[in-house]
Amino acid sequence: MSKKKPDVETTGHEWDGIEELNNPLPRWWLYTFYLTIIWGIGYTIAFPAWPMISGASEGLLGYSTRAEVAADIAAVDARNADVIATLASADLSTLSRDDPAYHFGVAGGAAVFRANCSQCHGSGAQGAMGYPNLLDDDWLWGGTLSEIEYTVRHGIRNETDWDAHYSEMPAFAEILSEEEQAAVVEYVLALSGQDHDAAVFGTGAALYADQCASCHGDAGLGDKFLGAPNLTDAIWLYGGSREAVAYTVANARFGVMPAWGQRLEEDEIKAVTLYLHQLGGGE
Amino acid sequence: MSDASNQSLYAPREPIYPKTVSGPFRTLKWRIMIATLAVYYITPWIRWDRGPQLPDQAVLVDLAGRRFYWFWIEIWPHEFYFVAGLLIMAGVGLFLFTSALGRVWCGYACPQTVWTDLFLLVERRVEGDRNAQIKLARAPWSLRKARLRGTKWGIWLLIALCTGGAWVFYFADAPTLARELVTLNAAPVAYSTIGILTATTFIFGGFMREQVCIYMCPWPRIQAAMMDDDTLTVAYRDWRGEPRGKKRVETAGDCIDCMACVNVCPMGIDIRDGQQMACITCALCIDACDDIMKKIGKPRGLVDYLALSDEPREREGMAPRPYWKHVLRPRTMIYTALWSLCGVALVFALFIRAEIDVTVAPIRNPQFVTLSDGSIRNAYDIRLRNKHGEDRPFRIRAAGDLALRAELEGTPYETVTVTANETRLQRVYLVAPRGSDPAEADVTDIRFWIEDLASGERVHADSIFNGRALR
Ligand code: SF4
Ligand code: SF4
C-alpha cells in the first residue's frame, strides 16, 4: 500500500499543520437539493400547509382530507347500496347464511351493537345484573330472529312505543305477609334445584299456585309471551340467591329498553338482530 | 497550497470513459452479466402447474391475493417470516462475501454494475472505444455526433424500458399482463411502475453510473466494517511496482506508469493510490495490468486480488499465503455458521408447516357463559386456512375432558368446508354440563383436532376452557 499523502486538494485551511481536504460534493447533489426546495414551496402552495390563525392555508388544488374521507364514505355507501337495500327489506327468517347480506348484517350489526347496546348489555353482550346476557340460551321475550327483531324495534316497558313488550310483576310485600313471602322464596329455590327449607315447601307451593303460576306457569317454566322468566333454570337476571330472590319477590324488579325502531334505520335493526342471533343464544 | 477562493464546494461530474479490456476477470464478468440478466428477464415467464384456481406462474408476488409463489413453495401473509429469513440470509451472505472477497457483490452482481456494464457495451458499439468517445465528447455538435448520441440514447432507452417492463411481470400473470400492456388495458400502476423504472434505469445506468455507487449507495460506507487485512481484495503491489516510471532504470519497480489500470476502471480511480471507498473490486484493472506485464515480460499480478496481511512476507520475497488461509478465518466462519443456521431453520420451517393451518382464539369477553341448564359454555374463533388448491371438508373436534362437547356455530355438523386457498373463521362452542370437572374448575386444558377429511391429515391447536371457579 502506498504510504504517501493522498493527492487531494486542500481547502487552504490549516491549523497546527492539520489541513482540511477538499472533497467537494457532486454538483447534481446540490441541484437535487434545490429541486427539493422548489418542490417543497410548490407543494405548500398547492396543498393546505401554512398555519393560519384559524385553520390552515387552503392550497390552490383545494384538497381536503375531510372531503376525501367524505368521498370515501360515499363511495363505500354506494358500493353497499344493494346489499343494504336487500337487508332492509329481507325477511330474516328466510335469509340464507350464504347471502352476502347475511355477512354484511352480522358485521354491521356488531358495530350497531357497540354503538347503541353495549352500554347496558356489555361490549361482549354478556349483560350484567338487571341487563340480560344475550349470549345464553334463555330469552325472556323469545330468541328467534323475528322475536329478537320485535324486541329491538319496540323495546320493553317504554312509553314511546305502544307495541313495546310490557309486563309488570306485583310487589308482593304489599300482598303477602313476611312468612308467606319467605315460603314462596323457598319454593322458588326448590324449583331451580337449589337448597331450600323443606318445612315450608308445601305452604310455598300453595302460595305459588295462587299468586305466581298465572304468569310463571304451574311448573315455573315462565312464559315468553308475557315475558315471565323461567324460574327452573340456572339463569337469574337479578340473582338467584335466597336474598336476591326474596328482594325480587318483595319489591318486584323490571328493566326498560328503548324502542330502537324510532332511532335506527331499518337495515340497522335487521343487522343488529342478525348479530345477536348468531352470538350463540339464538333459538 | 491552492487558492481557496476559486474552488467550488460542488464539483461537476468528471466523465469517465472506461477502456475495453479482456482477460479472465472480464470474461467472468460477462458470464455473470448474461446469467443475472437472463434470470431477471426469463423468471416471470416460467410456468408452474399448481392445479386449478391457482396461478401457473413459477415466481409470482400476488399482492391482491396476498400470496407469494416460488415454484413449489407458497407463502401466505402469516408466513412472512420466510421472507424476513431470506432477507437476513441475504444480509449475512453479503457480510460473508465482503469479509472474504471485498466488494465482489458490487463488482459482479449488483444490478447497478450489471446494467451500467450493459450500457457501456452499447456505448462502445456505437461510439467506439475510449479515445473515440473522448474525441466525440469534445467535438462540437454535428450531424454525426447527433446521430451517434441519438442511437446510443435510443438503445439505452429500449433497454431501460425492457428493464422496467420485466419488473411488473413478477406481480401479475406475465402473458396476460403482456397482452394488456400492448392493448393499453393494463392497470395504471403497471404503466407508472414501468415509467419510473425506465427513467431510473436510463438515468442511473447511462448518466450517473459510478455516482450511484459512491454517493447514493450506503454499502460502500458500511463495507469497510466487514473487511480486515485478511480480506482478499483488488490491490496494487507497490513494493513490487514502485518507484514507477516510463524510463526503465535498474532500481525501478515493475510499474511502467502506462495508466492502463486507470483507463479501464469504471469508477475512474487509480488503484495504485491504495484501497479506496469507490473501488468495486471488479478486477478489470488486474486484467489490464496483467496484459501489460505480459507485453513487457514480467510476471503477472502487479495488480491482483491479495490480502494486505501478506505484504510483509512478500516484501521479503516470500510467496503469499494460499487463498484458503485468508478465506478460512474466524470471521468468515462465524458468518457462514450464522448463514447456515438461518438456512437450516428456514428449510426446517418449510418442512414442518402443514397444508392446513389453524389458529384458535378463545373469546375472552365474556370468559364463559352460563346456560339455562347450568352448563358452562366457552366460545372460540377458529381460523382455518386451506392451502390446498381445492375445497376441503374439515372436521373440528375437541379433545381433553370427556365432559366437553363441541358445537359449531351455524351448522348442526362437526364438519365445515373451507374454500380452496381461503381462510374461514368458524365460531366453535364448548359446553361442559353442570357439575362436570371442567364446568366447576377454573381452567382446563383442551386441544382442538382439525382433520382434513379428504387427506386424513390432522393438525391440532391447544387452548383452555374457563370454568365457573374462574374469577
Ligand atoms: S480500481 Fe480496479 S477493481 Fe477497483 S473499480 Fe477500478 S477497475 Fe475495478
Ligand atoms: S497497468 Fe500496471 S503497469 Fe500500467 S500503470 Fe497500472 S499498475 Fe502500472
Side-chain angles (χ1 to χ4, degrees):
Chain A
M1 242 190 121
S2 113
K3 301 283 184 299
K4 67 177 163 44
K5 228 166 68 175
D7 55 353
V8 179
E9 285 179 38
T10 70
T11 56
H13 302 156
E14 186 195 326
W15 297 270
D16 298 339
I18 300 170
E19 293 170 318
E20 186 185 6
L21 295 183
N22 181 18
N23 283 311
L25 270 177
R27 191 166 278 168
W28 61 262
W29 187 287
L30 182 73
Y31 292 150
T32 312
F33 180 53
Y34 288 162
L35 265 176
T36 58
I37 294 175
I38 294 167
W39 172 269
I41 293 171
Y43 189 93
T44 63
I45 295 172
F47 288 92
W50 299 104
M52 302 293 192
I53 291 168
S54 61
S57 63
E58 287 193 355
L60 288 183
L61 296 185
Y63 174 83
S64 144
T65 42
R66 279 173 197 278
E68 189 163 81
V69 171
D72 281 353
I73 292 174
V76 170
D77 282 348
R79 203 166 60 224
N80 289 332
D82 278 357
V83 70
I84 289 174
T86 315
L87 188 61
S89 62
D91 174 1
L92 292 183
S93 53
T94 57
L95 185 65
S96 154
R97 272 186 179 251
D98 295 327
D99 195 309
Y102 179 86
H103 299 285
F104 184 83
V106 170
V112 173
F113 182 86
R114 276 195 295 274
N116 299 290
C117 318
S118 62
Q119 291 84 342
C120 291
H121 290 285
S123 57
Q126 74 274 34
M129 173 79 136
Y131 300 100
N133 179 331
L134 305 174
L135 302 165
D136 62 27
D137 57 347
D138 191 28
W139 293 87
L140 280 172
W141 299 95
T144 64
L145 278 163
S146 55
E147 286 166 337
I148 296 175
E149 186 185 337
Y150 186 92
T151 307
V152 170
R153 190 184 301 280
H154 301 295
I156 297 165
R157 295 184 201 97
N158 60 67
E159 284 164 7
T160 56
D161 188 332
W162 289 107
D163 291 325
H165 286 310
Y166 214 95
S167 71
E168 205 162 299
M169 173 168 151
F172 283 96
E174 296 159 13
I175 299 168
L176 300 176
S177 71
E178 297 220 342
E179 292 77 50
E180 287 171 327
Q181 289 175 42
V184 169
V185 168
E186 293 307 318
Y187 182 72
V188 170
L189 290 176
L191 275 179
S192 55
Q194 305 189 61
D195 290 341
H196 61 279
D197 181 356
V200 292
F201 181 85
T203 329
L207 284 164
Y208 176 88
D210 262 8
Q211 306 286 348
C212 319
S214 55
C215 291
H216 291 284
D218 292 340
L221 293 172
D223 186 332
K224 285 178 184 160
F225 183 72
L226 299 170
N230 181 340
L231 303 176
T232 66
D233 64 17
I235 294 171
W236 297 90
L237 189 49
Y238 293 94
S241 67
R242 180 170 278 113
E243 295 71 33
V245 174
Y247 186 92
T248 307
V249 168
N251 303 299
R253 312 197 239 203
F254 23 77
V256 173
M257 171 171 158
W260 292 103
Q262 300 162 353
R263 309 192 191 187
L264 298 178
E265 300 292 331
E266 189 61 24
D267 62 293
E268 290 175 321
I269 290 176
K270 297 274 174 67
V272 80
T273 302
L274 287 175
Y275 170 71
L276 292 174
H277 187 260
Q278 57 84 51
L279 280 176
E283 290 171 345
Chain B
M1 192 126 302
S2 48
D3 181 14
S5 57
N6 58 22
Q7 274 184 22
S8 172
L9 288 171
Y10 298 95
R13 174 178 181 252
E14 300 279 353
I16 298 167
Y17 308 95
K19 199 170 149 54
T20 317
V21 61
S22 60
F25 288 109
R26 181 64 263 189
T27 313
L28 178 64
K29 248 169 93 72
W30 286 136
R31 293 207 175 122
I32 291 177
M33 182 210 264
I34 291 167
T36 47
L37 287 176
V39 166
Y40 177 72
Y41 286 113
I42 295 172
T43 305
W45 298 91
I46 305 172
R47 303 284 95 186
W48 194 268
D49 186 14
R50 290 191 181 83
Q53 298 178 46
L54 281 177
D56 54 357
Q57 185 157 323
V59 177
L60 178 69
V61 183
D62 181 0
L63 288 179
R66 302 201 301 157
R67 299 273 193 290
F68 174 59
Y69 301 95
W70 194 87
F71 295 93
W72 63 95
I73 299 171
E74 183 183 328
I75 308 273
W76 287 44
H78 69 284
E79 294 166 325
F80 203 73
Y81 55 83
F82 277 113
V83 180
L86 285 177
L87 287 176
I88 292 172
M89 283 180 77
V92 176
L94 198 53
F95 292 178
L96 171 62
F97 271 98
T98 308
S99 68
L101 298 166
R103 291 175 72 185
V104 277
W105 162 260
C106 306
Y108 297 88
C110 172
Q112 172 65 18
T113 297
V114 170
W115 264 273
T116 302
D117 233 9
L118 188 62
F119 276 35
L120 283 170
L121 183 72
V122 171
E123 194 166 57
R124 283 190 200 115
R125 280 288 155 85
V126 175
E127 297 183 351
D129 206 6
R130 178 179 157 86
N131 293 335
Q133 285 176 27
I134 297 176
K135 229 172 101 190
L136 186 70
R138 295 216 176 113
W141 277 97
S142 64
L143 219 58
R144 181 173 167 274
K145 183 166 174 172
R147 179 173 56 78
L148 290 179
R149 282 282 146 95
T151 317
K152 180 176 81 172
W153 290 339
I155 301 176
W156 280 359
L157 208 57
L158 203 69
I159 296 174
L161 192 66
C162 294
T163 308
W167 181 252
V168 293
F169 291 137
Y170 284 86
F171 297 86
D173 183 60
T176 318
L177 181 61
R179 209 172 311 122
E180 288 173 352
L181 281 173
V182 183
T183 53
L184 301 181
N185 281 323
V189 64
Y191 291 108
S192 54
T193 307
I194 294 176
I196 291 169
L197 288 180
T198 303
T200 48
T201 309
F202 186 66
I203 294 168
F204 288 0
F207 302 97
M208 297 197 57
R209 295 184 186 171
E210 82 290 343
Q211 302 276 306
V212 174
C213 307
I214 300 174
Y215 297 103
M216 291 168 71
C217 176
W219 187 232
R221 284 156 218 277
I222 305 168
Q223 43 112 16
M226 307 296 138
M227 293 164 56
D228 53 30
D229 280 355
D230 274 317
T231 303
L232 291 165
T233 179
V234 175
Y236 166 66
R237 288 194 159 97
D238 56 358
W239 52 93
R240 185 182 135 191
E242 301 294 315
R244 62 180 90 145
K246 288 237 160 40
K247 289 222 191 66
R248 306 311 300 156
V249 290
E250 267 315 291
T251 53
D254 282 354
C255 176
I256 54 168
D257 212 7
C258 64
M259 301 298 274
C261 54
V262 178
N263 289 344
V264 299
C265 178
M267 305 300 288
I269 57 171
D270 185 345
I271 193 64
R272 296 171 302 169
D273 289 343
Q275 243 180 20
Q276 293 153 69
M277 189 192 79
C279 174
I280 57 171
T281 43
C282 65
L284 295 184
C285 50
I286 304 183
D287 277 346
C289 187
D290 283 353
D291 205 31
I292 302 294
M293 290 298 117
K294 203 160 137 200
K295 280 185 190 136
I296 65 169
K298 290 272 164 73
R300 69 162 294 279
L302 179 53
V303 181
D304 203 359
Y305 266 110
L306 56 90
L308 297 179
S309 62
D310 275 343
E311 181 182 342
R313 297 169 57 91
E314 292 197 22
R315 275 189 191 281
E316 282 164 26
M318 290 191 282
R321 291 192 299 157
Y323 280 167
W324 65 266
K325 283 202 170 157
H326 294 296
V327 172
L328 292 184
R329 59 185 203 275
R331 182 183 199 126
T332 54
M333 294 206 228
I334 290 171
Y335 286 143
T336 313
L338 278 178
W339 189 84
S340 325
L341 206 71
C342 204
V344 169
L346 283 188
V347 172
F348 186 69
L350 203 59
F351 275 107
I352 60 164
R353 77 186 178 144
E355 286 290 286
I356 43 179
D357 191 88
V358 175
T359 46
V360 173
I363 297 198
R364 306 224 180 269
N365 182 20
Q367 284 161 316
F368 64 83
V369 172
T370 310
L371 297 184
S372 54
D373 62 0
S375 51
I376 297 291
R377 187 179 71 189
N378 280 206
Y380 304 84
D381 273 342
I382 297 194
R383 205 174 279 279
L384 294 160
R385 296 188 190 87
N386 172 16
K387 300 182 193 170
H388 292 286
E390 58 212 52
D391 296 3
R392 285 282 168 108
F394 291 111
R395 183 163 65 204
I396 301 177
R397 278 187 172 160
D401 199 294
L402 285 179
L404 292 167
R405 181 164 46 87
E407 292 167 2
L408 271 52
E409 164 69 25
T411 160
Y413 311 108
E414 288 180 319
T415 311
V416 289
T417 302
V418 186
T419 323
N421 300 300
E422 287 290 338
T423 300
R424 174 176 173 144
L425 190 62
Q426 175 65 47
R427 173 75 53 91
V428 176
Y429 301 109
L430 285 188
V431 182
R434 171 182 230 160
S436 64
D437 285 350
E440 304 305 326
D442 53 357
V443 292
T444 310
D445 290 330
I446 49 143
R447 167 169 289 183
F448 285 100
W449 280 102
I450 288 81
E451 181 174 354
D452 178 346
L453 292 178
S455 69
E457 190 185 353
R458 297 207 318 160
V459 293
H460 63 79
D462 291 332
S463 191
I464 54 163
F465 183 88
N466 299 321
R468 205 188 292 279
L470 195 84
R471 302 182 180 165

